[in-house]
């Protein structure tokens, strides 16, 4: 396929790049709407859909880029693409913020699940930055750090979804008048949880309801809705593949440079699914799904390091990348922390249709991108 694109002129590669980007965008918009319908029909958690479902699907362009780059032994580009897109994808939330009227995106959420996701993402990115800067140890040809990062990703995914099911943090403002009262509320709710677990152990009516819900989910998967969801995911994968390969040719023939093209243009186009699904989720007032989509995708991006490492046979993949990827991870931590602040304060007033945290994210992204560009050039 790459040789086929190489035989085409620069103009045709630009056309393919634009059309592939449009395919990624359109498929991402449809994907968000299908996910919303699946939530309505099955009652599946928005946080689950965002953290795992949409995160996996909208990361398909990154998967295609990572695999194709690694197969040609350009593992450095593959890893840098993963970490370089993290900060950009957090900035996507600021774009989605502009589509919400009369309130900020972070000010629209009342529960702490999205904030907890942001904390987990900052933790994983911190571990990734350390892994990049510290010499890796090979197990066969796979780096130990890659395995550790993937295991941390799985653990954090489980913890996030477990935290979502916990009930002790669902206290009303009037219930937080004193520490003693909160403790009493927590104790009472923990007892209720234990009672619920005992009832589940008795295999009563609840088990039948659970089987009924699973049956509903399987019916949706096998329906036209499930087929359209799959086709949208396939569209993202195909579009992302052509975006990555045509961009490489454009960079070579125009003299822009693969570093600049890969970080900014390919990073932008492979982030189009996140942009489209996050904006669509915000318009549909699925604010938790919007945050979960971005934070879940970025968590998965770190986990995808193992995929590149498995394909790359010449040693640990993280040993092939320099300080740029670590700096990209640190910038991701910085921008994610700004939304942690916004989700904690819940300041609803907007300026130029953006929340204060989104404005800071845009400013710091521009500064960080400039620094990263200079580092990459060096």
């Amino acid at each position: 396929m790459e040789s086929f694109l190489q035989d085409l002129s620069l103009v045709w590669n630009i056309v393919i790049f634009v059309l592939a980007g449009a395919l990624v965008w359109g498929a991402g918009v449809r994907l968000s709407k299908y996910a919303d319908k699946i939530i309505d029909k099955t009652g599946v958690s928005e946080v689950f859909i965002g953290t795992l479902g949409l995160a996996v699907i909208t990361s398909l362009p990154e998967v295609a880029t990572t695999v194709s780059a690694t197969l040609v032994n350009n593992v450095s580009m593959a890893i840098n693409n993963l970490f370089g897109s993290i900060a950009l994808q957090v900035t996507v939330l600021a774009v989605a913020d502009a589509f919400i009227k009369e309130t900020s995106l972070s000010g629209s959420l009342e529960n702490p699940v999205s904030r907890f996701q942001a904390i987990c993402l900052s933790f994983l990115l911190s571990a990734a930055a350390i892994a990049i800067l510290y010499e890796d140890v090979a197990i066969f040809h796979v780096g130990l750090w890659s395995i550790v990062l993937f295991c941390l990703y799985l653990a954090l995914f489980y913890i996030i979804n477990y935290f979502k099911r916990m009930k002790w943090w669902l206290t009303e403002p009037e219930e937080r008048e004193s520490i003693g009262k909160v403790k009493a509320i927590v104790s009472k709710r923990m007892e209720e949880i234990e009672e619920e677990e005992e009832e589940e152990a008795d295999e009563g009516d609840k088990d039948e309801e659970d089987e009924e819900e699973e049956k509903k989910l399987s019916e949706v998967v096998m329906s036209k809705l499930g087929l359209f969801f799959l086709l949208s995911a396939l569209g993202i994968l195909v579009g992302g593949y052509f975006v990555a390969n045509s961009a490489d040719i454009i960079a070579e023939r125009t003299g822009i440079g693969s570093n600049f093209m890969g970080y900014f243009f390919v990073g932008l186009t492979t982030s189009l699914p996140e942009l489209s699904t996050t904006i669509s989720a915000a318009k549909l007032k699925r604010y938790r799904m919007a945050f979960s989509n971005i934070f879940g995708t970025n968590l998965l991006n770190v986990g995808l390091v193992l995929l590149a490492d498995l394909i790359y046979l010449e040693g640990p993949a993280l040993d092939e990348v320099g300080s740029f990827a670590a700096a990209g991870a640190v910038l991701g931590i910085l921008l994610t922390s700004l939304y942690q602040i916004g989700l904690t304060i819940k300041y609803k007033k907007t300026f130029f249709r953006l929340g204060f945290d989104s404005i800071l994210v845009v400013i710091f992204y521009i500064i960080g991108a400039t620094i990263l560009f200079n580092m990459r050039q060096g």
Side-chain angles (χ1 to χ4, degrees):
M1 186 65 68
E2 187 176 351
S3 60
F4 164 72
L5 295 175
Q6 287 282 3
D7 293 337
L8 297 177
S9 66
L10 174 62
V11 174
W12 274 111
N13 273 283
I14 293 174
V15 170
I16 291 172
F17 182 84
V18 173
L19 292 177
L23 175 61
V24 170
W25 173 275
V29 171
R30 301 307 304 175
L31 194 71
S32 178
K33 292 181 179 179
Y34 296 144
D36 190 65
K37 290 180 181 178
I38 290 173
I39 289 172
D40 290 337
K41 290 179 178 294
T42 65
V44 176
S45 164
E46 292 175 34
V47 176
F48 176 82
I49 287 289
T51 304
L52 182 61
L54 281 182
V56 172
I57 301 301
T58 57
S59 291
L60 287 176
E62 283 88 353
V63 171
T65 304
T66 299
V67 171
S68 59
T70 307
L71 286 174
V72 295
N73 287 328
N74 196 351
V75 70
S76 179
M77 190 193 85
I79 301 297
N80 279 326
N81 179 60
L82 291 173
F83 286 101
S85 63
I86 287 175
L88 178 62
Q89 289 168 358
V90 175
T91 312
V92 164
L93 287 168
V95 179
D97 200 351
F99 286 83
I100 301 176
K101 297 180 180 179
E102 300 177 354
T103 186
S104 65
L105 181 63
S106 58
S108 304
L109 288 176
E110 296 299 329
N111 68 67
V113 176
S114 294
R115 185 169 72 248
F116 184 65
Q117 286 178 294
I119 293 170
C120 291
L121 175 57
S122 295
F123 172 80
L124 187 59
L125 287 174
S126 300
I130 295 171
I132 293 167
L133 296 173
Y134 193 83
E135 186 176 356
D136 209 347
V137 177
I139 301 178
F140 296 103
H141 70 277
V142 179
L144 178 60
W145 271 114
S146 299
I147 298 172
V148 170
L149 290 175
F150 185 76
C151 291
L152 284 175
Y153 164 70
L154 293 179
L156 291 173
F157 170 75
Y158 173 80
I159 292 170
I160 289 168
N161 284 280
Y162 178 80
F163 179 76
K164 190 265 172 185
R165 296 194 301 269
M166 296 174 72
K167 299 181 179 181
W168 55 264
W169 47 266
L170 294 174
T171 54
E172 299 296 330
E174 59 269 17
E175 294 176 332
R176 298 194 291 266
E177 293 176 356
S178 67
I179 295 177
K181 190 172 182 180
V182 170
K183 286 183 177 179
I185 294 169
V186 170
S187 298
K188 183 178 178 181
R189 295 201 175 186
M190 291 304 292
E191 289 176 3
E192 292 175 356
I193 292 173
E194 291 177 0
E195 291 176 3
E196 289 176 3
E197 290 177 348
E198 290 177 1
E199 290 176 2
E200 290 176 3
D202 293 335
E203 296 183 352
D205 294 337
K206 186 171 178 57
D207 287 336
E208 295 178 4
E209 291 175 4
D210 287 341
E211 291 176 4
E212 203 172 11
E213 183 176 338
E214 289 177 6
K215 185 179 178 183
K216 268 189 182 180
L217 183 59
S218 64
E219 289 176 356
V220 171
V221 170
M222 298 303 294
S223 67
K224 287 184 178 180
L225 179 59
L227 176 62
F228 292 152
F229 190 91
L230 179 62
L231 289 175
S232 298
L234 183 61
I236 291 174
L237 180 60
V238 173
Y241 177 84
F242 279 101
V243 161
N245 286 279
S246 60
D248 192 41
I249 296 171
I250 293 170
E252 179 186 347
R253 296 186 183 179
T254 59
I256 293 176
S258 59
N259 290 342
F260 181 84
M261 191 76 183
Y263 182 74
F264 289 97
F265 290 99
V266 176
L268 175 62
T269 51
T270 56
S271 295
L272 283 176
E274 286 81 9
L275 180 62
S276 58
T277 52
T278 303
I279 290 175
S280 298
K283 286 181 177 179
L284 294 167
K285 296 184 178 181
R286 299 284 189 179
Y287 304 128
R288 276 189 297 170
M289 190 169 77
F291 276 104
S292 297
N293 178 35
I294 296 301
F295 295 150
T297 298
N298 284 341
L299 284 165
L300 182 59
N301 272 8
V302 180
L304 284 174
V305 171
L306 179 61
L307 174 62
D309 218 341
L310 288 170
I311 300 172
Y312 187 66
L313 302 177
E314 298 183 15
L318 290 178
D319 282 348
E320 302 298 323
V321 298
S323 58
F324 175 85
V330 171
L331 179 58
I333 295 169
L334 174 63
L335 300 185
T336 303
S337 298
L338 290 173
Y339 275 119
Q340 288 180 38
I341 295 171
L343 289 167
T344 301
I345 296 176
K346 296 183 177 66
Y347 189 67
K348 296 188 176 182
K349 188 175 180 179
T350 60
F351 307 90
F352 306 104
R353 298 193 66 174
L354 293 177
F356 82 96
D357 48 359
S358 293
I359 292 174
L360 290 176
V361 163
V362 172
I363 292 172
F364 278 96
Y365 174 74
I366 294 172
I367 296 172
T370 303
I371 295 172
L372 287 172
F373 174 71
N374 291 330
M375 289 178 64
R376 190 149 185 165
Q377 287 297 98

